[in-house]
Amino acid sequence: MASDILQAFEPIFYPRSVAVIGASADISKFGNVILSAIMEVGYKGKVYPVNPEAEEINGLKVYPSLKEIPGEVDFAVLTIPAPLVSSALEECLRKGVKGAEILTSGFRETGTPEGRRMEEEIGRIAKRGIRILGPNCFGIYCPESGLTILPGQNFSREAGPVGFLSQSGGLCADLGQMAKGLGIRFSKMVSYGNGCDVAACDLLEYFFADPQTRIIAGYLEGVEDGPRFLEILKNNRGKKPVILWKAGLTETGSRAVMSHTGSLSGAAEVWKSVLQQWGVVQVGGAEELIDTIYAFLYLPGNAGPKVALMGGGGAIGVAASDALDRLGLSLPVLSPPILEKLKASFPAVGNSLKNPVDLGNPMIPPSMLRKVMEAAGEDGGIDTLVVIQILFYILYQVRHRLGRDDKPLSQFSFQPELLKACQEVQEKYGKPILLVLPDIVTDGKMIDLEIEWRRERDNYQAAGFPVFKTLDRAARALSHFVRYHQRLPA
Amino acid sequence: MASDILQAFEPIFYPRSVAVIGASADISKFGNVILSAIMEVGYKGKVYPVNPEAEEINGLKVYPSLKEIPGEVDFAVLTIPAPLVSSALEECLRKGVKGAEILTSGFRETGTPEGRRMEEEIGRIAKRGIRILGPNCFGIYCPESGLTILPGQNFSREAGPVGFLSQSGGLCADLGQMAKGLGIRFSKMVSYGNGCDVAACDLLEYFFADPQTRIIAGYLEGVEDGPRFLEILKNNRGKKPVILWKAGLTETGSRAVMSHTGSLSGAAEVWKSVLQQWGVVQVGGAEELIDTIYAFLYLPGNAGPKVALMGGGGAIGVAASDALDRLGLSLPVLSPPILEKLKASFPAVGNSLKNPVDLGNPMIPPSMLRKVMEAAGEDGGIDTLVVIQILFYILYQVRHRLGRDDKPLSQFSFQPELLKACQEVQEKYGKPILLVLPDIVTDGKMIDLEIEWRRERDNYQAAGFPVFKTLDRAARALSHFVRYHQRLPA
């Protein structure tokens, strides 16, 4: 069965040829944006623009209709007015096209009888032998085969382990941008809009079967077939992490869902209990979604709820304690012998060593942090290390005080040394380490800090360590990871 | 009584002369950092470094002790080891110093009998005629008089309406950085650490009396005198907004408070009900704190809970609806005649006009947004306009598609035109407008978007419009503002 669904979707995710029906030379039209994006992202198969009124677009020969295309067409992208969609699909059937995505909107989501009728017609055509994505969607992004979504042109060309399904195209576009610098890469991302044929159930089934997908994530407004959806989750429970943002759970949200994709959104409590029962990680927004995917990508399986938190600055410790406590994570006091050893390394004054470990000084030298990391590594009561290097902006201060305002910030950074400490401690004790590097500067003139931050983050990530901008975000993502692995107390 | 407290604190916030006891030539020591910072931020009075082992620091003559200083000293900054603090304070008393801040830690927060004993001694000295801030604090930032906090060197030199009191020095340092680009300026910011003499009650009283302070905000771990604190809030209820982050409200957080400032943090429920009763805006973290201050600074008094939300992209609308609904804000359907008029301006397909208004296209031309803004302005059922220009990153796409990758992003920006629309609509209808401009790009190579974002944000702010990076943050801040003004349904 798994191989059936992989085979069925092969011409859709890995088409040998693609027709863009409604291709346009006008760069402001979707019909040009999508054609250009597919070409730029590096689709290697044949691309056939279709438009009765053009001869050449982006240097490609244009065909007046699908039937004039000489070779076979596996997949069609439709970006033509809604009333023309069903006859174009009929042509697709005649040409033997296996799959189509309909970018056009103006169907069920309008709430009009005409919109519903046209969408039902598409659904009926689909049953006659073509799989259809949309309408009212942004399409498929599959870096391995070179397909991309709207607008998509600057999406990463690298494939990765995350399969993403979404009723919102805008969220797919956003997620691709959010993911890019975080090293999150996708196997397939599918915006399915109104989902008149292919929708959540098929895609979930596909992602469970797809060997390229290790982590499944999604944005849902409603589900077309509840019992089937639950059956798929139940049958695959624990096989791959599933991270879902189910939106429209309030009254106002539910009304907005209706005008967006015309779905029925369902009651919040039902969704919550159902998703929890089948081991789904439920998130509540785009930031939480990306952070959770990020944690699942970077954290090793032994990340647990007993956290040692270290950094400088008491309020961070207090705020962190509040945040972790609320999320079911704990900050156990270090075990007595470890604590005694640690105390011997630090002056009694200006430090609080129990956990959270506050080393007083706002910019803590990595050599000091390393001692705490070693202690937490050695302590059998600690699962996970969270290192906060607060006052990142103090780099400015350090540079200024050394009279080197003309030099790049990177020359004054403690991060390379801290990264080395993280690597050595992790190698020695095998415990996961999360970094929290707040970059809170809002000043337009201090942009070099953001540049430096992104550079250092890339270095940590390349070494396998996730970097979060706030402790709250790190704690929430860790908590989802730990809960999924059922290591949280009830 | 109000004038009494202003007068009592005059030599502390506006000293004619300052002695830095423990001034150092070593740039890594607090005794140099604080001296340099005060000089750089522009303190105009006399500065006397005190250190028996130096002759000149930062070009200033050093005095071996306080008594050798020829003139009067209003204020002393102490950055000397804890065991030397009380005798230095005795010298301050003899010299007639009116106020002192003790940056040194190693007192009550260590949890040792010796630490407690030394702190009690400081408290007793204070009662003999000197007001003391700290110990274990970062001091005072008062741009009007040129005082600053640790490290403080790059804090804004402009004064403003926000009075901030904090048990955490690190948070003050952070807040100064967060505030800088947002146009948030301070009357006084006071880090009072363990608060053995001057603490929350005095500062709250002072800020209520201070004509420079219009908005009071604070970070509290505990309060030294609960009944007095409540009395002050009660007596001043409604005079000035008070925005408080009360930390340490969980069990773990409460333990962390004890090792940070040695305070007793109290039960969450008690705090919540008490703060609510006296009209205090209670926030739960640094980001929420700064966002709320920002909203109180930029929003006009008529900002109300009935929101019209407009932008492009359905998921944003759905997510926004969920977020607003949870916060007690509403998204009323536009009134029938307004809706009809609006419908006449847009094609039926690809738009959802009811509210949230989703204009389909991810990068909405300002001329289209203006039509929706006009409608919401005209609609008597709407209080507040929230404009979301999502896919900010699509600027890259636009530039690229026009074949101008070599030009600055600013040349392709819709924002100046959108800003003009905001100004004209606000002038015409007088309703508050909030901008949400998500900048979600994480890629290190796409830093020019962040530069462009900050530039445009500055332009909106200069025209009086607040700009948030996420809808959730905007909604939370608006909700605090509206609740304070008691315009939210119960």
Side-chain angles (χ1 to χ4, degrees), chain B residues 107-169:
Chain B
F107 293 87
R108 184 177 61 169
E109 83 286 358
T110 58
T112 62
E114 179 59 8
R116 270 198 299 276
R117 192 198 58 73
M118 288 192 296
E119 187 160 324
E120 283 160 14
E121 199 177 338
I122 296 174
R124 282 192 298 272
I125 294 172
K127 289 201 177 55
R128 288 163 47 209
I130 179 172
R131 297 310 308 253
I132 292 172
L133 281 142
N136 186 27
C137 76
F138 278 6
I140 296 167
Y141 164 55
C142 176
E144 204 182 5
S145 66
L147 289 182
T148 197
I149 219 157
L150 275 175
Q153 146 256 335
N154 75 339
F155 270 25
S156 173
R157 287 156 205 208
E158 291 169 24
V162 181
F164 187 69
L165 59 114
S166 172
Q167 269 177 287
S168 161

Side-chain angles (χ1 to χ4, degrees), chain A residues 32-33 40 153 174 178 181 248 250 252 255 322 325 331 355 391 393 397 400-401 442-443 454 457, chain B residues 32-33 40 153 174 178 181 248 250 252 255 322 325 331 355 391 393 397 400-401 442-443 454 457:
Chain A
N32 187 278
V33 176
E40 281 195 41
Q153 146 252 336
D174 280 358
M178 294 165 97
T250 63
T252 317
R255 202 183 75 218
D322 279 349
D325 192 286
L331 284 161
N355 190 25
L391 305 190
Y393 57 79
Q397 171 82 4
H400 177 72
R401 309 215 52 186
T442 54
D443 190 346
R454 293 188 189 184
R457 178 210 55 195
Chain B
N32 186 278
V33 175
E40 281 195 42
Q153 146 256 335
D174 280 358
M178 292 166 98
T250 62
T252 317
R255 203 183 74 218
D322 279 349
D325 191 287
L331 284 161
N355 190 23
L391 306 190
Y393 56 81
Q397 171 83 5
H400 177 72
R401 309 213 50 177
T442 54
D443 191 345
R454 294 188 189 183
R457 179 209 54 196

Side-chain angles (χ1 to χ4, degrees), chain A residues 327-359:
Chain A
L327 290 164
L329 302 167
S330 66
L331 284 161
V333 175
L334 295 177
S335 62
I338 304 273
L339 193 56
E340 284 314 308
K341 217 160 87 178
L342 198 56
K343 277 182 180 166
S345 305
F346 292 97
V349 163
N351 300 304
S352 166
L353 300 175
K354 276 181 187 163
N355 190 25
V357 180
D358 165 17
L359 298 177

Side-chain angles (χ1 to χ4, degrees), chain A residues 26-30 32-34 36 40 58 82 105-107 109-110 138 151-154 168 170-175 177-182 219 221 245-257 259-260 284-285 287 313-319 321-323 325-326 329-333 348-352 354-356 358 360-362 390-391 393-394 396-398 400-402 439-447 450-451 454 457-458 470 472, chain B residues 26-30 32-34 36 40 58 82 105-107 109-110 138 151-154 168 170-175 177-182 219 221 245-257 259-260 284-285 287 313-319 321-323 325-326 329-333 348-352 354-356 358 360-362 390-391 393-394 396-398 400-402 439-447 450-451 454 457-458 470 472:
Chain A
D26 177 347
I27 65 164
S28 74
K29 302 265 191 208
F30 279 1
N32 187 278
V33 176
I34 190 71
S36 302
E40 281 195 41
N58 291 5
S105 56
F107 294 87
E109 82 285 359
T110 59
F138 278 6
Q153 146 252 336
N154 76 340
S168 161
L171 183 70
C172 289
D174 280 358
L175 212 69
Q177 296 299 338
M178 294 165 97
K180 217 174 161 192
L182 303 176
Y219 168 83
E221 297 188 346
W245 174 12
K246 170 64 186 75
L249 292 180
T250 63
E251 201 186 311
T252 317
S254 160
R255 202 183 75 218
V257 159
S259 0
H260 182 217
E287 190 178 86
I316 287 282
V318 173
S321 303
D322 279 349
D325 192 286
R326 284 191 192 107
L329 302 167
S330 66
L331 284 161
V333 175
V349 163
N351 300 304
S352 166
K354 276 181 187 163
N355 190 25
D358 165 17
N361 187 337
I390 58 161
L391 305 190
Y393 57 79
I394 222 170
Y396 274 97
Q397 171 82 4
V398 171
H400 177 72
R401 309 215 52 186
L402 294 170
D439 167 20
I440 57 172
V441 163
T442 54
D443 190 346
K445 297 189 198 82
M446 292 165 78
I447 197 76
E450 180 66 29
I451 297 172
R454 293 188 189 184
R457 178 210 55 195
D458 289 349
T470 74
D472 282 350
Chain B
D26 177 345
I27 64 164
S28 74
K29 302 267 190 208
F30 279 2
N32 186 278
V33 175
I34 190 72
S36 302
E40 281 195 42
N58 291 6
S105 57
F107 293 87
E109 83 286 358
T110 58
F138 278 6
Q153 146 256 335
N154 75 339
S168 161
L171 182 71
C172 289
D174 280 358
L175 212 68
Q177 297 297 338
M178 292 166 98
K180 218 175 162 191
L182 303 177
Y219 168 82
E221 297 188 345
W245 174 13
K246 169 64 185 76
L249 291 179
T250 62
E251 200 186 311
T252 317
S254 161
R255 203 183 74 218
V257 160
S259 4
H260 181 217
E287 190 179 85
I316 287 282
V318 172
S321 304
D322 279 349
D325 191 287
R326 283 191 193 107
L329 302 167
S330 66
L331 284 161
V333 176
V349 161
N351 301 303
S352 165
K354 279 182 185 160
N355 190 23
D358 166 18
N361 187 336
I390 58 161
L391 306 190
Y393 56 81
I394 222 172
Y396 274 97
Q397 171 83 5
V398 171
H400 177 72
R401 309 213 50 177
L402 295 171
D439 167 20
I440 56 172
V441 162
T442 54
D443 191 345
K445 295 187 199 84
M446 292 165 77
I447 198 75
E450 179 66 28
I451 296 171
R454 294 188 189 183
R457 179 209 54 196
D458 290 348
T470 73
D472 281 349

Side-chain angles (χ1 to χ4, degrees), chain B residues 179-230:
Chain B
K180 218 175 162 191
L182 303 177
I184 297 173
R185 296 292 178 266
F186 298 90
S187 56
K188 284 101 191 166
M189 178 185 262
V190 184
S191 151
Y192 63 92
N194 295 4
C196 78
D197 174 35
V198 175
C201 291
D202 302 303
L203 293 168
L204 198 56
E205 224 166 32
Y206 177 85
F207 284 138
F208 273 120
D210 178 31
Q212 259 79 47
T213 300
R214 280 196 294 111
I215 297 166
I216 303 171
Y219 168 82
L220 296 179
E221 297 188 345
V223 159
E224 67 287 5
D225 181 349
R228 185 178 156 214
F229 186 75
L230 295 183

Side-chain angles (χ1 to χ4, degrees), chain B residues 220-451:
Chain B
L220 296 179
E221 297 188 345
V223 159
E224 67 287 5
D225 181 349
R228 185 178 156 214
F229 186 75
L230 295 183
E231 195 65 20
I232 299 168
L233 287 176
K234 187 178 161 187
N235 290 341
N236 292 284
R237 185 177 179 172
K239 277 192 205 153
K240 300 179 181 184
V242 180
I243 303 161
L244 292 181
W245 174 13
K246 169 64 185 76
L249 291 179
T250 62
E251 200 186 311
T252 317
S254 161
R255 203 183 74 218
V257 160
M258 190 50 79
S259 4
H260 181 217
T261 54
S263 305
L264 283 168
S265 59
E269 285 67 30
V270 175
W271 271 98
K272 198 176 163 185
S273 73
V274 156
L275 295 182
Q276 198 172 319
Q277 188 178 359
W278 302 121
V280 172
V281 179
Q282 195 183 2
V283 299
E287 190 179 85
E288 189 176 351
L289 178 63
I290 199 84
D291 286 348
T292 307
I293 296 172
Y294 186 62
F296 273 84
L297 202 62
Y298 282 90
L299 288 180
N302 64 335
K306 288 172 282 171
V307 174
L309 186 89
M310 56 207 76
I316 287 282
V318 172
S321 304
D322 279 349
L324 268 62
D325 191 287
R326 283 191 193 107
L327 290 165
L329 302 167
S330 66
L331 284 161
V333 176
L334 295 177
S335 62
I338 304 274
L339 193 58
E340 283 315 307
K341 217 160 86 179
L342 200 56
K343 275 182 180 166
S345 304
F346 293 98
V349 161
N351 301 303
S352 165
L353 299 175
K354 279 182 185 160
N355 190 23
V357 180
D358 166 18
L359 298 178
N361 187 336
M363 190 77 173
I364 309 157
S367 57
M368 288 172 71
L369 272 173
R370 181 196 287 252
K371 286 180 194 169
V372 185
M373 288 162 77
E374 294 270 352
E378 211 182 322
D379 194 325
I382 298 294
D383 303 319
T384 306
L385 280 61
V386 177
V387 179
I388 309 190
Q389 187 60 280
I390 58 161
L391 306 190
F392 200 76
Y393 56 81
I394 222 172
L395 277 182
Y396 274 97
Q397 171 83 5
V398 171
R399 177 173 70 176
H400 177 72
R401 309 213 50 177
L402 295 171
R404 298 288 171 83
D405 288 334
D406 57 321
K407 300 282 177 203
L409 280 180
S410 57
Q411 293 188 9
F412 307 90
S413 178
F414 286 179
Q415 303 304 328
E417 204 189 327
L418 184 58
L419 169 56
K420 192 156 168 278
C422 290
Q423 287 174 302
E424 290 173 13
V425 169
Q426 189 162 64
E427 188 156 334
K428 189 162 172 193
Y429 301 101
K431 292 183 185 174
I433 303 175
L434 288 81
L435 278 297
V436 178
L437 303 178
D439 167 20
I440 56 172
V441 162
T442 54
D443 191 345
K445 295 187 199 84
M446 292 165 77
I447 198 75
D448 48 347
L449 192 72
E450 179 66 28
I451 296 171

